[in-house]
Amino acid sequence: MAKRFITEADVSGKRVLCRVDLNVPLKGGVIEDDTRIRSALDTIRWLLDHGARVIICSHLGRPKGAPRDDLRMAPIAARLSELLGREVQTVDQVTGATVTIAVDHLNDGEALLLENLRFDPREEANDDSLAQELASLADLYVDDAFGAAHRAHASTEGVARILPAYLGLLMRREIEALSTLLDHPDRPFAAIIGGAKVSDKLLVLDHLMSRVDLLLIGGGMANTFLFAQGKRVGTSLVERELRDQASALLAHAKQRGVTVDLPTDVVVSDSIDAASGVTRSLTDIAKTESIFDIGPETAARYARRIASMKTILWNGPLGVAENPAFANGTTTIARAVADADAYTVIGGGDSVAAIQSLGLAGTIDHVSTGGGASIEFLEGKPLPGIAAIPEADPPEVKS
Ligand code: ADP
Ligand code: MG
């Protein structure tokens, strides 16, 4: 069954509480990357264009339940206003008298941004009293905060239980893209999974195993698989305790006819901060060396395989891409995914950062705005922020 989307609601003249994810990276009060603000624009614009009085809310950073001047929403409101081309008003409270007055003064087609939700300890505690206070501000609720959908907080799950609740347009894009991967991918379908640890991705690997044709593994997690195969990986990051689970995953893949490719050459060093690494065949790693990237031969092989796919999911860098000395694998794979004649989806904070820093995000069909949320979705878990929204009414049967 499909969820209820805001486009089905009559919002004209209504007060609409709109939960978005404006949790952008800040450095010294300056917004480093405004992708999340841009991703929230469609729903906000739709509401304003349809004459709603829009009460926008989001969290920002980790203030841990108390106000912090460096995490106030004012600079976010300024950028949001700029991008919308309309003024977004602000208040310096999450709820309370000041907020109620500001909401009362809103006209149709005007927007107000509440203060950082996480200044209030009741937000992350999913405290009903905060959900009630937020709900009392509005007639309707729309949740478009995909990046926060895996958390049951007062502004996501709590308030959806009280007000008539809908999903926003970003939520629709995210759900459609990720469901396509899980439910009806064009074949062949490859998942490229990297990142630091198998433990972070075990459930995703397991869930994808029954859906993909090809699994390309890189990053620190490849080491655990190589270790499980009895290969020597020196001082690399390895989760030795996951040896049996890694072996079981490989066996499971074999049973299902899923091809799993692991690195055959790697870039090693004795330091993660090294200015350059050494390329070695997997059989030649010294005891004191660690693997920090897939090697050029592996990267080229992965890229060739990627070129023949019809659906591609990429999550997790193939090496320690923060250090240019170990970024080649990630860059090669990013280019291959960008060039592929396939439906392409990228999820995960670090992989998204990698594709953006290469200026290739525009070539990807769907770049997910949710790191943790996209992973949990792909694990097949219901996300509380989505689960709390009612199903759409069934279409009327005409007699
Ligand atoms: P994403 O955010 O895209 O889901 P992860 O957070 O799972 O990705 O993984 C990113 C992290 O993995 C980066 O900090 C990177 O340095 C680390 N990493 C990748 N390859 C290795 C490796 N070979 N050894 C140690 N750490 C690695
Ligand atoms: Mg990450």
Side-chain angles (χ1 to χ4, degrees):
M1 263 292 269
K3 288 285 172 180
R4 200 157 77 173
F5 289 98
I6 190 61
T7 45
E8 295 154 34
D10 175 11
V11 300
S12 175
K14 304 248 172 71
R15 298 168 304 161
V16 180
L17 179 68
C18 180
R19 173 57 157 107
V20 286
D21 178 10
L22 305 177
N23 184 27
V24 291
L26 288 170
K27 207 170 197 173
V30 179
I31 298 168
E32 282 191 302
D33 173 6
D34 64 4
T35 307
R36 283 193 162 151
I37 303 180
R38 289 175 187 275
S39 305
L41 294 176
D42 278 356
T43 295
I44 296 172
R45 223 176 244 139
W46 188 91
L47 291 167
L48 292 171
D49 288 347
H50 286 80
R53 305 172 183 201
V54 189
I55 306 151
I56 306 165
C57 61
S58 173
H59 71 286
L60 178 63
R62 297 170 186 266
K64 304 213 167 91
R68 240 176 68 181
D69 279 341
D70 60 333
L71 292 177
R72 290 201 176 275
M73 296 303 280
I76 312 296
R79 178 66 61 89
L80 185 56
S81 301
E82 205 180 297
L83 293 171
L84 279 172
R86 307 187 217 191
E87 198 214 337
V88 175
Q89 304 166 38
T90 52
V91 276
D92 61 1
Q93 304 285 321
V94 177
T95 55
T98 342
V99 178
T100 310
I101 293 167
V103 170
D104 285 345
H105 281 88
L106 271 184
N107 292 311
D108 296 356
E110 287 184 353
L112 168 74
L113 176 59
L114 302 184
E115 190 48 280
N116 190 342
L117 289 162
R118 291 193 187 166
F119 284 1
D120 191 322
R122 297 175 298 169
E123 161 66 354
E124 288 176 88
N126 195 6
D127 187 313
D128 189 54
S129 67
L130 177 60
Q132 294 288 353
E133 285 170 31
L134 287 168
S136 73
L137 299 172
D139 306 301
L140 297 179
Y141 169 72
V142 51
D143 188 0
D144 209 24
F146 180 72
H150 57 318
R151 306 274 182 245
H153 291 166
S155 70
T156 59
E157 203 262 347
V159 81
R161 279 187 273 117
I162 306 167
L163 286 175
Y166 299 82
L167 291 175
L169 302 170
L170 174 63
M171 281 282 206
R172 171 140 68 196
R173 284 203 300 279
E174 293 278 4
I175 293 170
E176 280 175 2
L178 300 174
S179 308
T180 297
L181 299 181
L182 294 181
D183 301 337
H184 44 86
D186 262 352
R187 300 201 172 277
F189 173 18
I192 308 153
I193 308 289
K197 293 180 174 171
V198 176
S199 51
D200 289 342
K201 311 272 164 91
L202 203 58
L203 295 172
V204 179
L205 285 168
D206 203 48
H207 202 64
L208 289 174
M209 196 61 86
S210 55
R211 293 168 166 81
V212 299
D213 303 290
L214 171 66
L215 201 52
L216 299 173
I217 297 182
M221 70 150 69
N223 305 336
T224 300
F225 286 101
L226 295 169
F227 172 71
Q229 291 182 331
K231 308 246 162 60
R232 271 180 302 214
V233 293
T235 49
S236 300
L237 171 70
V238 176
E239 290 170 286
R240 289 169 202 275
E241 69 285 3
L242 291 183
R243 187 187 17 222
D244 292 347
Q245 298 205 48
S247 300
L249 267 170
L250 294 175
H252 190 185
K254 201 166 189 181
Q255 265 170 22
R256 293 198 151 266
V258 175
T259 307
V260 179
D261 207 347
L262 285 161
T264 45
D265 67 331
V266 287
V267 180
V268 300
S269 174
D270 48 18
S271 162
I272 198 167
D273 300 316
S276 63
V278 181
T279 299
R280 292 213 193 289
S281 156
L282 202 59
T283 45
D284 299 336
I285 300 167
K287 274 188 180 143
T288 54
E289 291 173 332
S290 298
I291 301 170
F292 292 124
D293 196 8
I294 57 172
E297 188 186 286
T298 303
R301 185 176 68 245
Y302 284 11
R304 276 197 305 279
R305 285 184 176 276
I306 287 167
S308 64
M309 293 292 132
K310 281 284 161 238
T311 303
I312 299 163
L313 163 68
W314 177 27
N315 172 278
L318 287 292
V320 180
E322 303 91 314
N323 180 347
F326 307 121
N328 180 59
T330 301
T331 306
T332 306
I333 293 329
R335 295 223 164 90
V337 175
D339 289 344
D341 181 18
Y343 179 66
T344 50
V345 178
I346 301 185
D350 294 282
S351 359
V352 169
I355 200 88
Q356 279 170 344
S357 72
L358 292 167
L360 295 174
T363 66
I364 305 300
D365 289 298
H366 183 73
V367 177
S368 179
T369 55
S374 63
I375 294 285
E376 290 194 25
F377 194 106
L378 293 171
E379 287 172 359
K381 282 191 196 148
L383 307 186
I386 297 175
I389 308 297
E391 305 289 337
D393 289 334
E396 268 175 55
V397 183
K398 296 206 178 81
S399 52

